[in-house]
Amino acid sequence: LSSTFYQKQIIMTSISDGFSDVKRKVSNYIGVPDNEDEPETIMDEIRGICPTLTLKQRWYGFGICFALGWFISFLSVIFVGSIVTNPARFAFLYTTGSLVSICSTCFVWGPCKQCKRMFKLHRILATGMYLGAMILTLYLAFTQANPILILLAILLQFLAMCWYVLSWIPYGRKMATKCVEGMCNC
């Protein structure tokens, strides 16, 4: 009698552990923190600083931040005529608009998950090119480089942004490559 009791206890414990493991995985996948007794990490401290937003608040934050980013980028177009006399103003506004637009997606997924997704293996090259192009644009602008070099850096930044955005669309880069090849008859 006691051996069957222990066998039932072992089975019940393994089933309970299995459900706990599934619950933990599902909770982590959808972003619900696991409340088990684990030491607090740096990420837990950051989550404590930033309040949890509702889905509606996240979409409002995304929309406002994204629109602000595009508005700042549009403002840079107003200063394109002054690129010869003051290239830093144009480059700074254009790049700031790009950065604010990227930060808008942090409202949707959260900053930590966004950074993890940005630097996934299949996207790391596009992210690196985009961030590198932004740094190059600002460097050339603030060192008073030749305005043509600054314009080329901004063009590179725009193209890198397009490639980065296409990396978020399933088969986006492959479709864009095929379209360009079709137009160029390459």
Side-chain angles (χ1 to χ4, degrees):
L1 181 69
S2 66
S3 69
T4 57
F5 176 75
Y6 288 117
Q7 288 175 344
K8 287 180 181 178
Q9 285 292 345
I10 291 171
I11 292 172
M12 293 301 288
T13 303
S14 66
I15 290 172
S16 175
D17 289 345
F19 280 127
S20 295
D21 189 45
V22 169
K23 178 186 172 259
R24 184 182 48 78
K25 287 180 180 178
V26 170
S27 295
N28 287 338
Y29 182 75
I30 62 174
V32 176
D34 194 8
N35 293 332
E36 292 185 17
D37 295 330
E38 295 177 1
E40 195 168 281
T41 64
I42 293 173
M43 295 310 300
D44 294 330
E45 291 179 25
I46 291 172
R47 284 187 198 105
I49 295 170
C50 301
T52 304
L53 300 174
T54 66
L55 185 61
K56 187 176 183 179
Q57 291 169 332
R58 288 177 183 268
W59 283 111
Y60 278 136
F62 167 76
I64 291 168
C65 199
F66 189 76
L68 181 65
W70 277 98
F71 178 72
I72 293 169
S73 292
F74 178 73
L75 281 179
S76 71
V77 174
I78 295 171
F79 296 109
V80 80
S82 69
I83 197 163
V84 175
T85 58
N86 191 0
R89 183 181 341 172
F90 173 73
F92 178 75
L93 283 172
Y94 184 79
T95 304
T96 302
S98 296
L99 284 171
V100 171
S101 293
I102 287 177
C103 289
S104 69
T105 56
C106 291
F107 281 100
V108 178
W109 294 298
C112 299
K113 193 177 249 184
Q114 171 66 14
C115 288
K116 285 179 185 176
R117 287 180 172 186
M118 283 175 65
F119 292 101
K120 279 190 171 182
L121 188 59
H122 67 278
R123 192 173 292 122
I124 194 165
L125 183 62
T127 301
M129 287 174 27
Y130 190 27
L131 295 175
M134 284 189 235
I135 292 168
L136 177 66
T137 302
L138 291 175
Y139 174 77
L140 291 174
F142 288 119
T143 58
Q144 300 296 323
N146 186 343
I148 292 176
L149 286 176
I150 295 170
L151 285 173
L152 287 174
I154 289 169
L155 176 64
L156 177 66
Q157 182 179 334
F158 177 77
L159 293 173
M161 184 253 324
C162 291
W163 196 248
Y164 171 78
V165 168
L166 288 171
S167 75
W168 290 90
I169 301 168
Y171 302 104
R173 293 185 285 189
K174 189 177 279 191
M175 287 188 298
T177 303
K178 294 287 185 187
C179 287
V180 170
E181 285 175 354
M183 290 184 340
C184 296
N185 293 324
C186 298

